[in-house]
Each structure stands twice: as C-alpha cells, then as structure tokens.
Amino acid sequence: MNKVRYVGLDLGSKTVGIATSQGIIVSPYKTINFNENDFEDCINKLTPELKDLTPEKIIVGYPKNMDGTLGHRVEMVEHIIYLLTEKKICNLEDIIKIDERLTTRMAKSIMISANISRQKQKQKKDTLAAQLILETYLANKG
C-alpha cells in the first residue's frame, strides 16, 4: 500500500494522468489508457490505483472554458466523479475540483523548453498536467 495524502487527476476522453503528493512535493505517478469515452473502463482501471494509493483527497482538473463558463468536457468530468462516488471508490467530500485552464498548454510548454521529443511529450503530458493540477491546489489551499 502506498498511502498518499493527495492524488491529482487529469481526466480525458481516453486517458487519465495521475500525480501524487504527501503535501509538499508533487510527483508524476502514471497515465492510464482506456477505451475512448468508455468511462466504466476508465473507472475499472483507475479503481485499483486509488485503492493502492488510499488518498485523503482527490484533486480533479475541472475543464472550464477560457471565459470561465462550463463546457461540454465538464459533463465528462462530472460523470467520472459520479462513477467514483456511486461505486464507493471515494466520497464526494474527498474530491476537490480545480480549474485546469491552461494546464495542458503549460505542460506542453515545459516539455518543449526541456527539449523533450514529441513522442515523449505524448507519453508524459497527462501525468505532467495532473502534476500541475495538484501543484495548483497545494499552492492555493493554505
């Protein structure tokens, strides 16, 4: 068992980036791939990871539009949150939604600055986005 205090999730239509933290330093954990828009498959693959990590809080990237309104991707995130709570993987009060505007763009910018190849960027963008989401939460929580 790898008990952590926080898990950050960057939820997509076919991947979930995961990052972890004890409260100060955030580390990339892994990316889970699932069948596109098959959120039951997503939950089935995410559940063992969350059970192993046993986080106190799950920080989820909330994909607002640039103008602050809620777009269609919010429905996907809300559905995944619903499945997590419906299947008793976690309680709703253990999930914190964080505005994730620009995290994917920031992740790409960081990787380009670090001269990471396009192939590696594709592999790492989801965990880096999850890392940025979790770092945003930790920076603003206290």
Side-chain angles (χ1 to χ4, degrees), residues 65-132:
N65 294 322
M66 290 308 290
D67 65 1
T69 60
L70 304 180
H72 72 280
R73 289 184 39 86
V74 164
E75 293 174 29
M76 175 193 71
V77 170
E78 290 289 354
H79 183 64
I80 293 171
I81 290 170
Y82 168 78
L83 291 173
L84 286 169
T85 58
E86 174 75 9
K87 295 180 183 286
K88 310 264 188 263
I89 297 157
C90 60
N91 298 314
L92 189 57
E93 59 270 9
D94 297 331
I95 298 174
I96 298 167
K97 300 175 219 171
I98 291 292
D99 184 352
E100 70 165 22
R101 284 180 282 185
L102 303 178
T103 54
T104 302
R105 189 175 297 158
M106 283 173 32
K108 272 191 141 174
S109 177
I110 289 167
M111 289 187 290
I112 289 168
S113 296
N115 286 325
I116 296 173
S117 72
R118 285 192 186 274
Q119 183 60 34
K120 290 273 189 205
Q121 286 180 31
K122 196 172 182 182
Q123 294 169 3
K124 296 181 180 286
K125 72 175 171 57
D126 297 310
T127 54
L128 183 53
Q131 193 173 345
L132 292 169

Side-chain angles (χ1 to χ4, degrees), residues 4-8 55-59 93-96 137:
V4 297
R5 289 189 65 197
Y6 305 101
V7 167
E56 292 173 22
K57 297 287 181 192
I58 298 171
I59 315 307
E93 59 270 9
D94 297 331
I95 298 174
I96 298 167
Y137 169 74

Side-chain angles (χ1 to χ4, degrees), residues 20-54:
T20 61
S21 178
Q22 290 295 347
I24 300 170
I25 297 171
V26 178
S27 302
Y29 183 69
K30 71 170 21 177
T31 297
I32 295 174
N33 297 296
F34 58 93
N35 296 317
E36 190 165 12
N37 295 318
D38 183 348
F39 302 116
E40 290 286 337
D41 185 36
C42 170
I43 295 301
N44 290 338
K45 291 179 177 176
L46 184 57
T47 298
E49 302 298 337
L50 292 175
K51 285 190 176 181
D52 186 47
L53 294 168
T54 62

